[in-house]
Every structure is written in structure tokens, then in C-alpha cells.
Amino acid sequence: MTDRQDDRDLPDGVREIVAEIESEIGDEDAPGPSEPRTAGHNGRIEAAVREILTEIGEDPDREGLRTTPDRVHRMYAELTAGYHVDPERLINRAVFDVAYSEMVVVRDIPFYSLCEHHLLPFFGNAHVAYIPAGRVIGLSKIPRIVEMYARRLQVQERLTQQIADFLMERLEPDGVGVVLEATHLCAAMRGVRKPGTVMTTAAVLGLFRRNDKTRAEFFSHLARPAPGTP
Ligand SMILES: [Zn+2]
């Protein structure tokens, strides 16, 4: 999906988000958002949004809606910026050889994604754990990995699996566990309304899959209140 050539055409807003996901704050060689905006703006999304507005019985030319097609275009570009993130840049210099082999757990990572069936948001928290086999990844990178996959059209199951697979491939740890808890606006807003319904998905690899004790340890971390919470 990623083609760095095409990325020169990214609008500024998207480029900024991509750079933010790829780089640490204060990174000196982070690609700046100041490169000129070029193409990528053929008006097709604007035209399509106007069509939708007309089809639902609205007047796309009334004052409140006049700039909506342009805003929607920019919004979708930003919400799907994850397609343009380069995983190599993301993990650049953040994988370290460390002789640590206990479970590392990063809990309560907030994420926002778009369901690919309705283009409506689903959002919640991600919990990511792995057992290093000689290599660890910088702590701040894990939320960025979540972000890289969340800012795409997704189903929650695939998002969960992609985060787990990515860590498994890049770190070659003894195991990875990922749990996502999310509210889907397409479920909350449509049909029988059940606000507050939370969908939970899990992906377990390696020891997390084979070893009941490892899995139980992971889930016990998630059940416990976070340190510092009253
Ligand atoms: Zn949906």
C-alpha cells in the first residue's frame, strides 16, 4: 500500500500526521510538514460528497454546507493517513538488544478508526503485550503502531491481528498479545440502539497462544486497575 513516491503528493495535514506517527517528538531527521503541497486534489471526493448531500435531500449550496465537501475530503485523508506510514521509519532506531524476558504490557492506548462497512468511527482502547526474546521496542512506538493501523478503513478483528503480527515480525519475541475494546458508532447509531456496547477482540501469538499461564498473566494485567488510579 505504501508508495513513497506518491507520498510527495500528500496534502499537508496528512503529511503532518504521517510524520508524527513515524517519528519521535524532537527527532532531528523527521520529515517536515513544510514541503509544498502538490497534487492529490482532483475534486472527485468533493463531487461525490455533493452527490451524497443531494441524494439525502440536502442542498449542497446552502451556506452551512458549502465548504463541507472540501472538509470531508481533508478529514478522510487524515483519518486514513495510516496507509502512508512507512513501518521502517516508524521503528527506526527504536529496537534495542536487551536481555529482558518478562512480559511487557502497554495498556489503555486510545485509538480511533473507521469501520470499513459504514465509514463510521469505532474507537476505544488497545492493550498490547509481548515477551521479549533479546529485543525490545521503544515504549512510545507501540501507540504509533496502533495508530498506523487504526488510521485506515478497518474491521476491529483485522486491526487487532495486524498490530500483533507487526510486533511478531519485527521483534521476533516469544509471544505477543493484543486486546482491543471498542465502541462502534455504526452499531450504536443504527438499528436497535445499544449505546455503550463494547466489542472486545484479541490476538494471541507464540507463548500467549500456547501457554495458558502466559495468557492468564496478560489478562490479569488488564483486569487490574492501572497504578495511580484511585
Ligand atoms: Zn460498521
Side-chain angles (χ1 to χ4, degrees):
M1 201 73 204
T2 301
D3 181 347
R4 303 305 293 184
Q5 284 301 104
D6 283 348
D7 285 1
R8 276 178 297 178
D9 294 342
L10 290 178
D12 291 350
V14 178
R15 191 197 305 278
E16 274 174 48
I17 291 165
V18 168
E20 202 179 305
I21 296 172
E22 287 177 352
S23 57
E24 293 291 341
I25 292 161
D27 244 14
E28 278 163 31
D29 59 355
S34 52
E35 293 161 58
R37 168 179 178 158
T38 48
H41 212 83
N42 56 26
R44 281 195 193 160
I45 292 182
E46 284 84 344
V49 173
R50 279 182 65 90
E51 284 291 313
I52 292 171
L53 291 171
T54 305
E55 281 300 314
I56 64 173
E58 268 290 358
D59 169 13
D61 290 316
R62 75 176 169 84
E63 195 180 357
L65 292 178
R66 226 175 281 151
T67 53
T68 297
D70 176 55
R71 274 197 230 102
V72 171
H73 180 190
R74 279 183 283 129
M75 178 194 70
Y76 275 117
E78 290 170 16
L79 298 186
T80 58
Y83 288 121
H84 307 287
V85 173
D86 181 346
E88 298 303 330
R89 285 202 203 185
L90 191 158
I91 59 166
N92 180 33
R93 288 173 295 153
V95 175
F96 310 101
D97 292 339
V98 175
Y100 183 80
S101 56
E102 297 300 321
M103 189 180 296
V104 175
V105 184
V106 183
R107 270 179 45 174
D108 301 319
I109 303 163
F111 74 87
Y112 296 84
S113 190
L114 282 177
C115 113
E116 69 183 19
H117 300 138
H118 303 96
L119 306 187
L120 280 173
F122 67 98
F123 56 95
N125 284 305
H127 315 288
V128 177
Y130 69 100
I131 298 176
R135 301 164 86 191
V136 300
I137 188 164
L139 200 58
S140 68
K141 295 296 184 183
I142 290 180
R144 290 159 199 268
I145 295 165
V146 173
E147 185 91 354
M148 168 173 68
Y149 289 116
R151 280 187 184 262
R152 301 177 183 197
L153 300 188
Q154 280 289 10
V155 296
Q156 187 177 329
E157 294 88 339
R158 186 176 62 225
L159 173 57
T160 311
Q161 192 69 45
Q162 284 176 333
I163 296 164
D165 288 342
F166 183 84
L167 285 168
M168 202 68 191
E169 282 164 24
R170 301 293 169 145
L171 289 184
E172 298 178 331
D174 286 336
V176 173
V178 177
V179 168
L180 262 57
E181 300 167 310
T183 300
H184 291 246
L185 288 190
C186 59
M189 296 175 73
R190 300 166 57 252
V192 184
R193 294 183 193 188
K194 288 178 183 161
T197 304
V198 173
M199 175 166 155
T200 302
T201 46
V204 285
L205 303 173
L207 275 185
F208 287 71
R209 174 172 286 277
R210 292 196 304 272
N211 190 322
D212 292 347
K213 271 178 68 180
T214 302
R215 211 164 44 241
E217 183 189 343
F218 176 41
F219 288 119
S220 79
H221 277 294
L222 304 189
R224 197 176 298 160
T229 52

PDB file of all heavy atoms in Angstrom, residues 115-120 184-187 190, ligand 1:
ATOM      1  N   CYS A 115     -14.783   2.084  10.541  1.00  0.00           N
ATOM      2  CA  CYS A 115     -15.253   0.769  10.112  1.00  0.00           C
ATOM      3  C   CYS A 115     -15.418   0.768   8.598  1.00  0.00           C
ATOM      4  O   CYS A 115     -15.958   1.705   8.018  1.00  0.00           O
ATOM      5  CB  CYS A 115     -16.533   0.404  10.849  1.00  0.00           C
ATOM      6  SG  CYS A 115     -18.005   0.314   9.855  1.00  0.00           S
ATOM      7  N   GLU A 116     -14.892  -0.255   7.971  1.00  0.00           N
ATOM      8  CA  GLU A 116     -14.885  -0.263   6.507  1.00  0.00           C
ATOM      9  C   GLU A 116     -16.255  -0.576   5.925  1.00  0.00           C
ATOM     10  O   GLU A 116     -16.467  -0.414   4.729  1.00  0.00           O
ATOM     11  CB  GLU A 116     -13.840  -1.240   5.979  1.00  0.00           C
ATOM     12  CG  GLU A 116     -14.140  -2.700   6.224  1.00  0.00           C
ATOM     13  CD  GLU A 116     -13.008  -3.595   5.720  1.00  0.00           C
ATOM     14  OE1 GLU A 116     -11.893  -3.094   5.535  1.00  0.00           O
ATOM     15  OE2 GLU A 116     -13.266  -4.784   5.530  1.00  0.00           O
ATOM     16  N   HIS A 117     -17.179  -1.012   6.750  1.00  0.00           N
ATOM     17  CA  HIS A 117     -18.520  -1.320   6.229  1.00  0.00           C
ATOM     18  C   HIS A 117     -19.410  -0.087   6.142  1.00  0.00           C
ATOM     19  O   HIS A 117     -20.279  -0.021   5.283  1.00  0.00           O
ATOM     20  CB  HIS A 117     -19.196  -2.367   7.122  1.00  0.00           C
ATOM     21  CG  HIS A 117     -18.424  -3.642   7.193  1.00  0.00           C
ATOM     22  ND1 HIS A 117     -18.246  -4.345   8.370  1.00  0.00           N
ATOM     23  CD2 HIS A 117     -17.763  -4.328   6.234  1.00  0.00           C
ATOM     24  CE1 HIS A 117     -17.508  -5.410   8.123  1.00  0.00           C
ATOM     25  NE2 HIS A 117     -17.199  -5.424   6.845  1.00  0.00           N
ATOM     26  N   HIS A 118     -19.196   0.870   7.040  1.00  0.00           N
ATOM     27  CA  HIS A 118     -20.076   2.040   7.076  1.00  0.00           C
ATOM     28  C   HIS A 118     -19.323   3.364   7.018  1.00  0.00           C
ATOM     29  O   HIS A 118     -19.952   4.417   6.988  1.00  0.00           O
ATOM     30  CB  HIS A 118     -20.915   2.020   8.359  1.00  0.00           C
ATOM     31  CG  HIS A 118     -21.726   0.776   8.527  1.00  0.00           C
ATOM     32  ND1 HIS A 118     -21.300  -0.295   9.271  1.00  0.00           N
ATOM     33  CD2 HIS A 118     -22.934   0.430   8.012  1.00  0.00           C
ATOM     34  CE1 HIS A 118     -22.217  -1.253   9.226  1.00  0.00           C
ATOM     35  NE2 HIS A 118     -23.209  -0.845   8.469  1.00  0.00           N
ATOM     36  N   LEU A 119     -18.007   3.319   7.063  1.00  0.00           N
ATOM     37  CA  LEU A 119     -17.193   4.534   7.153  1.00  0.00           C
ATOM     38  C   LEU A 119     -17.567   5.366   8.382  1.00  0.00           C
ATOM     39  O   LEU A 119     -17.497   6.586   8.364  1.00  0.00           O
ATOM     40  CB  LEU A 119     -17.297   5.387   5.885  1.00  0.00           C
ATOM     41  CG  LEU A 119     -16.985   4.704   4.561  1.00  0.00           C
ATOM     42  CD1 LEU A 119     -16.965   5.732   3.427  1.00  0.00           C
ATOM     43  CD2 LEU A 119     -15.637   3.985   4.613  1.00  0.00           C
ATOM     44  N   LEU A 120     -17.982   4.695   9.426  1.00  0.00           N
ATOM     45  CA  LEU A 120     -18.255   5.371  10.697  1.00  0.00           C
ATOM     46  C   LEU A 120     -17.164   4.991  11.693  1.00  0.00           C
ATOM     47  O   LEU A 120     -16.555   3.925  11.584  1.00  0.00           O
ATOM     48  CB  LEU A 120     -19.627   4.949  11.238  1.00  0.00           C
ATOM     49  CG  LEU A 120     -20.846   5.648  10.618  1.00  0.00           C
ATOM     50  CD1 LEU A 120     -22.132   5.002  11.122  1.00  0.00           C
ATOM     51  CD2 LEU A 120     -20.841   7.138  10.924  1.00  0.00           C
ATOM     52  N   HIS A 184     -18.555   0.872  18.501  1.00  0.00           N
ATOM     53  CA  HIS A 184     -18.746   1.105  17.063  1.00  0.00           C
ATOM     54  C   HIS A 184     -19.959   2.000  16.861  1.00  0.00           C
ATOM     55  O   HIS A 184     -21.077   1.636  17.233  1.00  0.00           O
ATOM     56  CB  HIS A 184     -18.962  -0.225  16.334  1.00  0.00           C
ATOM     57  CG  HIS A 184     -17.734  -1.077  16.296  1.00  0.00           C
ATOM     58  ND1 HIS A 184     -17.069  -1.378  15.123  1.00  0.00           N
ATOM     59  CD2 HIS A 184     -17.036  -1.667  17.291  1.00  0.00           C
ATOM     60  CE1 HIS A 184     -16.017  -2.135  15.409  1.00  0.00           C
ATOM     61  NE2 HIS A 184     -15.973  -2.322  16.709  1.00  0.00           N
ATOM     62  N   LEU A 185     -19.723   3.159  16.279  1.00  0.00           N
ATOM     63  CA  LEU A 185     -20.855   4.065  16.073  1.00  0.00           C
ATOM     64  C   LEU A 185     -21.872   3.481  15.105  1.00  0.00           C
ATOM     65  O   LEU A 185     -23.050   3.784  15.187  1.00  0.00           O
ATOM     66  CB  LEU A 185     -20.362   5.429  15.594  1.00  0.00           C
ATOM     67  CG  LEU A 185     -19.655   6.272  16.660  1.00  0.00           C
ATOM     68  CD1 LEU A 185     -19.423   7.691  16.139  1.00  0.00           C
ATOM     69  CD2 LEU A 185     -20.450   6.324  17.960  1.00  0.00           C
ATOM     70  N   CYS A 186     -21.429   2.606  14.192  1.00  0.00           N
ATOM     71  CA  CYS A 186     -22.406   2.016  13.270  1.00  0.00           C
ATOM     72  C   CYS A 186     -23.370   1.117  14.033  1.00  0.00           C
ATOM     73  O   CYS A 186     -24.527   0.961  13.638  1.00  0.00           O
ATOM     74  CB  CYS A 186     -21.718   1.260  12.134  1.00  0.00           C
ATOM     75  SG  CYS A 186     -20.636  -0.072  12.650  1.00  0.00           S
ATOM     76  N   ALA A 187     -22.938   0.548  15.137  1.00  0.00           N
ATOM     77  CA  ALA A 187     -23.834  -0.264  15.963  1.00  0.00           C
ATOM     78  C   ALA A 187     -24.631   0.619  16.915  1.00  0.00           C
ATOM     79  O   ALA A 187     -25.813   0.378  17.151  1.00  0.00           O
ATOM     80  CB  ALA A 187     -23.035  -1.292  16.756  1.00  0.00           C
ATOM     81  N   ARG A 190     -27.246   3.052  14.635  1.00  0.00           N
ATOM     82  CA  ARG A 190     -28.188   2.481  13.674  1.00  0.00           C
ATOM     83  C   ARG A 190     -29.023   1.396  14.340  1.00  0.00           C
ATOM     84  O   ARG A 190     -28.616   0.799  15.317  1.00  0.00           O
ATOM     85  CB  ARG A 190     -27.437   1.888  12.483  1.00  0.00           C
ATOM     86  CG  ARG A 190     -26.606   2.897  11.726  1.00  0.00           C
ATOM     87  CD  ARG A 190     -25.634   2.224  10.788  1.00  0.00           C
ATOM     88  NE  ARG A 190     -26.314   1.339   9.835  1.00  0.00           N
ATOM     89  CZ  ARG A 190     -26.261   0.019   9.872  1.00  0.00           C
ATOM     90  NH1 ARG A 190     -25.546  -0.582  10.794  1.00  0.00           N
ATOM     91  NH2 ARG A 190     -26.894  -0.701   8.982  1.00  0.00           N
TER      92      ARG A 190
HETATM   93 ZN    ZN B   1     -19.728  -0.621  10.679  1.00  0.00          ZN
END
